[in-house]
Amino acid sequence: MSGSEDLKYAENLVEKAQGLFSRAKDELKSYYPSYSNVIALCQNAIELCGKAIYKLMGVEFPREHQLLFEKRGEVAQQFKKLLSKEFPRFFPYRDEIPRVVFLSYFWYRFGVIAKYGIEEVGIPPDKLFTRREAELAVEHAEECLRVAQSLLSLKRIEEK
């Protein structure tokens, strides 16, 4: 993909992440919120933000639902490649890129449980999470969105 194609692709990922984040916040404010739904939506938003960052920096992201950084091989190489890139001069969140990838990794397992529960023992997702975990997921998704949106804004300026 060219730089402008990567930018459009990343814009779409960030827009989708924003939509998921908005739905998660709305769900948390509802009269009977499903905390597991909030977590699943936030996990997906966090993942999309991380992948958008890869795209914005011209690095292919791993085709997995989590952005692992500890595996050897191609996934680790892509992460190293991302970190070695020269980010826009006025990008204030360069040091938070590893955290975005970590949060993707952290929330992945919770996202799976939030969607499916613990089927092996018959525990549905809504019996596992509390408001505290849902609020933390929202906080982390907001953090990842801030980083991705900031980078996207600067990359748009560079494209002009």
Side-chain angles (χ1 to χ4, degrees):
M1 283 187 174
S2 71
S4 64
E5 289 172 330
D6 282 345
L7 182 65
K8 287 178 185 173
Y9 193 97
E11 284 175 337
N12 184 257
L13 294 180
V14 172
E15 287 171 9
K16 289 176 72 157
Q18 180 62 54
L20 291 164
F21 178 69
S22 293
R23 287 175 46 204
K25 286 192 337 186
D26 290 346
E27 178 70 29
L28 194 56
K29 291 180 204 169
S30 71
Y31 194 69
Y32 289 113
S34 168
Y35 301 131
S36 64
N37 283 348
V38 171
I39 290 167
L41 290 164
C42 287
Q43 180 273 322
N44 203 351
I46 290 166
E47 177 187 332
L48 291 173
C49 287
K51 290 179 176 183
I53 291 167
Y54 272 80
K55 265 302 185 198
L56 287 166
M57 296 309 296
V59 178
E60 283 302 312
F61 55 79
R63 303 289 180 202
E64 299 182 23
H65 287 290
Q66 57 183 327
L67 298 174
L68 295 174
F69 49 86
E70 60 189 24
K71 280 187 177 178
R72 302 210 185 278
E74 185 181 343
V75 174
Q77 292 306 314
Q78 293 302 89
F79 184 55
K80 285 180 184 178
K81 188 174 182 180
L82 174 66
L83 293 179
S84 72
K85 290 286 189 168
E86 188 168 326
F87 284 78
R89 184 173 178 200
F90 296 107
F91 179 58
Y93 304 112
R94 164 64 179 89
D95 291 339
E96 292 185 39
I97 298 299
R99 180 160 171 77
V100 171
V101 174
F102 164 74
L103 289 173
S104 171
Y105 178 76
F106 177 83
W107 283 105
Y108 170 73
R109 185 70 177 140
F110 294 111
V112 171
I113 293 171
K115 289 176 190 165
Y116 306 110
I118 306 173
E119 190 176 358
E120 299 81 8
V121 291
I123 302 173
D126 283 333
K127 299 288 183 194
L128 297 169
F129 298 98
T130 66
R131 174 171 284 279
R132 222 175 2 194
E133 289 95 24
E135 288 172 344
L136 182 61
V138 166
E139 180 183 320
H140 286 167
E142 187 171 37
E143 185 179 335
C144 293
L145 264 168
R146 182 180 62 250
V147 173
Q149 289 170 332
S150 175
L151 183 58
L152 177 59
S153 294
L154 291 170
K155 286 296 201 173
R156 282 180 179 144
I157 292 167
E158 283 182 359
E159 279 287 311
K160 291 180 183 181

